[in-house]
Amino acid sequence: MSMVDEVSEKTGRYFPHPAVQRFTSGVYPDHHALVTASQDTLKENYPRYSRFGTPVTDAVEQEVTRLEGGYGSLCVCSGLAAITSTLLAFLRPGDHILVNRSVYEPVRHFINTYLSQRGVSATFLSSSEFMECDKFLKKSTTLIYIESPSSNVFEVTDIEFVVNQAQKNNILVVMDNTWSTPLLMNPIKHGVDVVIHSASKYLSGHSDAVAGIITTTEKYFSPLRKYLMMAGICLGGEESFSIYKGLKTLGVRLDTQANSASKIIELLSYHPHVGTVLAPQLITHPDHCTYNKYYKKYNGVFSFSVACVSDKKRDEFLAGFKIFKLAYGWGGVDSCIIPFTLTHFLISDPTQLFFRVSTGLEECDLLIADFKNALSFL
Ligand SMILES: *Cc1c(COP(=O)(O)O)cnc(C)c1O
């Protein structure tokens, strides 16, 4: 018994956090305990081997399950691993899937290369095409994958409509809910079967961990867990603890970051150099109505464009930011900005340069001043 356990035993007071146990194997008192543990192919009987779970990983899974209103959750080593392993667990050669066209680029790449080489075909749809997704279904369609609001452009899919079509045709619906976090939207409550989060973003929230979490309904939990155990996809205690801590401040972080984002959006909306502002809470966003149907709040991530300028001017603009960091990540406590190109779809407007912004927890007035300063270089 550890000292902590002893204190808890004596006083009945428990420390509020599960311990980050650094271990690979559990140690058995005798042969009988060893046999009992090894007969348990799942992770009920840990600590057998930490690939099957650690106390803090389990605590994170329970909390995300509660927040999402699911049956169970599983932590994995990245958001991308959460997505690819879900697809691998449920797809077979010959299957066809529907995917939103503005999906996170590495997911599109995985589908178009790895999955297509193994006999899985995909049709990519816009949010408005999803409103008639029955037209795109084939006999072989077994899964619909939706990221909403989607990366960079925040296309919002009417999830209840899609779920309705899917249920009629016995199709699994998977949704990447990373942008929303479990606080803005709970897809399972709208009939989605499997919900995915990259915990590297808002959930851990401090840009200090790469991790993913998958939450499912009862029907899909056991098959998914079996696959992850078989494939050896798991998450270590350190990363889990970062999510555990992040979840405790998620609500206040989101509120503050959303507030700063809305102030900057206001500044940009009236700025002469700014072309478009892309944020689903704006009435000018094409999916604003769908957004209002499902979401009451928003977060600190949005995109905007400025009229094309020379490379030199663009570099001066970006160098003009003293607080916003030039970085790909988002959802952390540090404000970030990154240019992106609208590739094969959507508003591919060659006259505009696009940027994605994620507001952090720095003082709002300083963030606004930082933006004003950078914009003065355009
Ligand atoms: C970042 C991101 C992922 C991938 O997550 P990682 O933890 O970086 O692997 C997946 N989906 C969305 C929407 C993301 O933004």
Side-chain angles (χ1 to χ4, degrees), residues 68 159 163 175 177 185-195:
E68 278 294 12
I159 197 66
V163 162
M175 182 159 158
N177 201 34
M185 151 82 162
N186 298 125
I188 287 175
K189 292 179 186 159
H190 299 283
V192 168
D193 303 297
V194 179
V195 175

Side-chain angles (χ1 to χ4, degrees), residues 78-81 83 104 147 151 176 178-179 198-201 210-211 330:
S78 71
L80 188 56
I83 296 163
Y104 183 60
E147 179 194 316
S151 290
D176 182 333
T178 302
W179 190 91
S198 164
S200 323
K201 312 290 167 53
V210 171
W330 56 270

Side-chain angles (χ1 to χ4, degrees), residues 261-272:
S262 73
K263 298 253 166 67
I264 295 168
I265 286 173
E266 206 179 306
L267 167 77
L268 296 178
S269 300
Y270 297 104
H271 200 282

